[in-house]
Amino acid sequence: MTKEMPVIYVISDALGETAEFVSRASAAQFIGVRTRIRMVPYVRDEAHIDDIIEEAIRDQAILAYTLVLSKLRLYLEKKAIEKNLRTVDILGPLLKLLSEETGMEPSNIPNITHRMDEQYFRKVEAIEFAVKYDDGKDPRGALYADVVLIGVSRTSKTPLSMYLAHKGIKAANIPLVPEVAPPSELFEVSSQKVVGLTLRPDHLNTIRTARLKSLGLGASADYASLQRIVEELEYARGIMRKIGCPIIDATGRAVEETAALILEILYKGERNV
């Protein structure tokens, strides 16, 4: 029987991406426990906090928050203590430590990391790049990409490309199909810039079968055939070995986890994970 984790309210004066990532990463450590996360972004005043507290009482929620304004952090903690709610301050302790180390006060500007700066435009450019060079639509993208993801169908190439794009990484992805020769561009770039993605055959079979059903097609189609999948994976591994690129087995890994491994490969030169 699946256990349920208390609702986690992710409270932020911006989008709440940091608190959400920490919450999901923490919850993922409890296998078999269903996690419910509610996002509460752009909290800018005490009245909004009062509303959140009232709703959190009904859910007996855990409050995970990233609030840069100290008055809002203190107010939220005060109200949570009054109502016997548990809280996790994700930014506060580090802000305090950095302030002590530098002798400076934080700027207390909400959403400062999302300002229209160079990093923001790099992310937008990376997203546009991922869309343009998705699924091998234009193999020339491999020549200009920061990373090229290769693998058979349904190995999460597109979701990973988009996730990496939000980190400012220009990712192109190219599908490997036995009946179609890989584009020449794939062999013209550094092998360290190419990452091969693979899955266990049974896991890929489950994913493809579900995909066919969602399209109203029969699960017996060759696309989901275990024999066909094994042949495709062997073909893909042969291409990856020829290129000499790192290979990641993404079986059972969330997109975020696989993306972290890809970034580790790019920055540290790891080979097989």
Side-chain angles (χ1 to χ4, degrees):
M1 183 177 177
T2 303
K3 293 184 178 180
E4 284 199 10
M5 186 173 290
V7 181
I8 301 174
Y9 278 36
V10 172
I11 303 167
S12 176
D13 44 25
L15 285 172
E17 292 172 319
T18 302
E20 181 188 16
F21 182 81
V22 171
S23 298
R24 292 194 185 281
S26 300
Q29 296 300 314
F30 299 88
I31 299 170
V33 180
R34 189 170 67 181
T35 307
R36 292 180 295 159
I37 293 178
R38 179 184 170 188
M39 302 297 296
V40 189
Y42 300 115
V43 175
R44 297 295 171 83
D45 55 49
E46 295 175 350
H48 195 171
I49 290 176
D50 288 337
D51 293 338
I52 296 166
I53 292 291
E54 290 306 312
E55 294 182 31
I57 292 170
R58 292 195 291 271
D59 287 330
Q60 280 301 291
I62 294 172
L63 310 180
Y65 63 92
T66 50
L67 296 169
V68 299
L69 294 175
S70 57
K71 72 170 186 176
L72 290 183
R73 291 203 305 272
L74 292 172
Y75 186 78
L76 177 60
E77 285 287 349
K78 174 176 173 291
K79 299 299 290 186
I81 291 171
E82 289 176 2
K83 302 298 182 180
N84 200 29
L85 292 171
R86 293 158 294 174
T87 63
V88 180
D89 183 357
I90 293 173
L91 282 184
L94 185 55
L95 285 174
K96 182 174 182 294
L97 180 59
L98 292 174
S99 182
E100 292 171 353
E101 288 293 318
T102 61
M104 300 169 61
E105 289 298 317
S107 62
N108 291 331
I109 302 173
N111 211 29
I112 193 169
T113 57
H114 287 220
R115 284 180 150 189
M116 301 282 280
D117 55 11
E118 182 183 349
Q119 184 178 1
Y120 173 84
F121 288 111
R122 186 165 61 246
K123 181 169 76 170
V124 171
E125 186 179 0
I127 292 171
E128 292 174 345
F129 186 94
V131 172
K132 182 176 181 179
Y133 297 111
D134 180 43
D135 203 33
K137 284 186 288 192
D138 184 349
R140 291 175 299 177
L143 303 175
Y144 312 110
D146 297 317
V147 63
V148 183
L149 306 180
I150 60 174
V152 302
S153 174
R154 311 310 291 180
T155 47
S156 296
K157 298 184 298 298
T158 296
L160 282 165
S161 294
M162 294 307 299
Y163 185 91
L164 291 169
H166 280 83
K167 301 290 184 184
I169 304 294
K170 291 182 179 178
N173 72 80
I174 297 174
L176 298 178
V177 184
E179 292 77 16
V180 181
S184 59
E185 289 86 353
L186 196 52
F187 301 94
E188 296 175 19
V189 299
S190 167
S191 62
Q192 280 298 321
K193 201 168 76 167
V194 182
V195 175
L197 299 170
T198 189
L199 289 173
R200 282 203 324 262
D202 59 323
H203 189 67
L204 186 53
N205 171 256
T206 301
I207 293 172
R208 288 190 176 184
T209 299
R211 175 60 175 164
L212 288 174
K213 287 181 179 178
S214 72
L215 295 173
L217 302 173
S220 61
D222 191 44
Y223 176 73
S225 159
L226 191 57
Q227 180 180 347
R228 167 69 183 187
I229 287 171
V230 170
E231 291 172 358
E232 286 188 35
L233 289 171
E234 279 302 312
Y235 168 77
R237 276 197 173 273
I239 298 296
M240 294 169 192
R241 285 193 290 267
K242 183 177 180 180
I243 294 171
C245 66
I247 301 172
I248 294 177
D249 184 347
T251 304
R253 286 175 167 150
V255 168
E256 296 88 349
E257 185 181 358
T258 305
L261 292 173
I262 292 170
L263 292 173
E264 187 175 348
I265 287 169
L266 291 178
Y267 298 140
K268 295 184 180 179
E270 300 291 336
R271 303 302 295 176
N272 287 277
V273 247

